[in-house]
Amino acid sequence: MQINLRKANNIQTSIQDAINSIEMVTAIEINEFQDPIKEIQAANDELFANDARKMKLLQAFYNIRALVATANASCGISTNLAKAAFIEKRLQQLLSISGQKPVTDMEVVKGRLDRIKNRDDKEYYGRDTVSTSVIGAEQITQAKAQVKDLRKQKQKINDENLDLNFKTEIPLSEETVKVLTDEGLL
């Protein structure tokens, strides 16, 4: 049986949910009206039957995971994910630059510094410095343009990955199909 990568991802989530829903009861309460040997044996049988179910589901999960990883690498999704991660980090860097105010006009900076130099220190208790951004207006404009371009690139990669997730298929073994069918996941 062949399934696409998108369905494989959904099945993996369903498998995890199924594994988490299987109870592993390791202790029971027995009252005076029950046969302790039968009750303990029944609980033991259920525990190890559930353990076997979990093991089969876990095998199916990791078989699918390995197939998905191989398919992701061969069809280019892994490379696209690395590119998208790079773009995301670069966007964070550029957004911190593009959101800044531009450097203060040099004449204003010089005037403020001259005022600090020439003041009467006995009467002034304010700041001894002038604050200004170090980023030029043109640099901020360039950063904003790069942000816009990177967002387009990221969207293109995401669209390509979506397309690849539908087009790329992996083969499920008969055993995996049986386990998933028995559990009602296929």
Side-chain angles (χ1 to χ4, degrees):
M1 171 180 219
Q2 296 277 108
I3 60 170
N4 66 32
L5 294 179
R6 185 156 175 92
K7 184 166 183 169
N9 183 55
N10 292 337
I11 289 173
Q12 285 179 304
T13 301
S14 297
I15 291 171
Q16 287 288 20
D17 291 344
I19 289 171
N20 293 335
S21 72
I22 297 172
E23 291 187 30
M24 300 296 286
V25 178
T26 58
I28 60 170
E29 297 283 329
I30 303 171
N31 64 39
E32 70 268 17
F33 303 108
Q34 295 174 305
D35 180 346
I37 294 173
K38 286 182 183 177
E39 295 300 321
I40 291 171
Q41 187 60 54
N44 180 275
D45 291 346
E46 183 179 343
L47 171 69
F48 285 97
N50 285 347
D51 179 60
R53 279 180 64 207
K54 277 189 164 193
M55 191 258 322
K56 287 177 184 178
L57 285 167
L58 207 54
Q59 281 180 322
F61 177 84
Y62 283 102
N63 285 340
I64 292 170
R65 185 174 177 177
L67 291 168
V68 167
T70 301
N72 282 344
S74 67
C75 76
I77 289 176
S78 294
T79 302
N80 282 351
L81 290 174
K83 288 177 186 176
F86 165 77
I87 288 171
E88 187 58 37
K89 291 295 184 186
R90 185 64 184 139
L91 278 170
Q92 290 173 9
Q93 291 173 336
L94 289 171
L95 287 170
S96 70
I97 293 171
S98 67
Q100 299 296 315
K101 292 182 180 179
V103 64
T104 306
D105 182 85
M106 275 306 116
E107 292 305 314
V108 174
V109 172
K110 288 178 184 178
R112 288 180 185 168
L113 289 173
D114 284 342
R115 191 174 346 142
I116 291 171
K117 285 180 200 175
N118 297 325
R119 73 171 184 244
D120 184 1
D121 283 338
K122 294 178 186 176
E123 298 175 12
Y124 186 77
Y125 299 103
R127 295 177 33 179
D128 291 339
T129 61
V130 174
S131 293
T132 182
S133 172
V134 298
I135 306 168
E138 180 61 30
Q139 291 169 316
I140 292 172
T141 302
Q142 288 173 351
K144 287 179 179 180
Q146 286 180 4
V147 164
K148 188 176 179 181
D149 181 56
L150 287 172
R151 284 186 173 148
K152 285 180 186 176
Q153 288 179 39
K154 186 177 175 187
Q155 185 59 50
K156 183 179 175 189
I157 289 170
N158 288 342
D159 291 345
E160 186 177 328
N161 281 348
L162 184 62
D163 187 47
L164 289 170
N165 272 311
F166 280 109
K167 287 182 179 178
T168 307
E169 293 187 335
I170 59 170
L172 295 182
S173 68
E174 289 181 29
E175 182 179 330
T176 299
V177 171
K178 182 178 179 350
V179 168
L180 296 176
T181 302
D182 290 348
E183 290 290 333
L185 301 176
L186 267 185

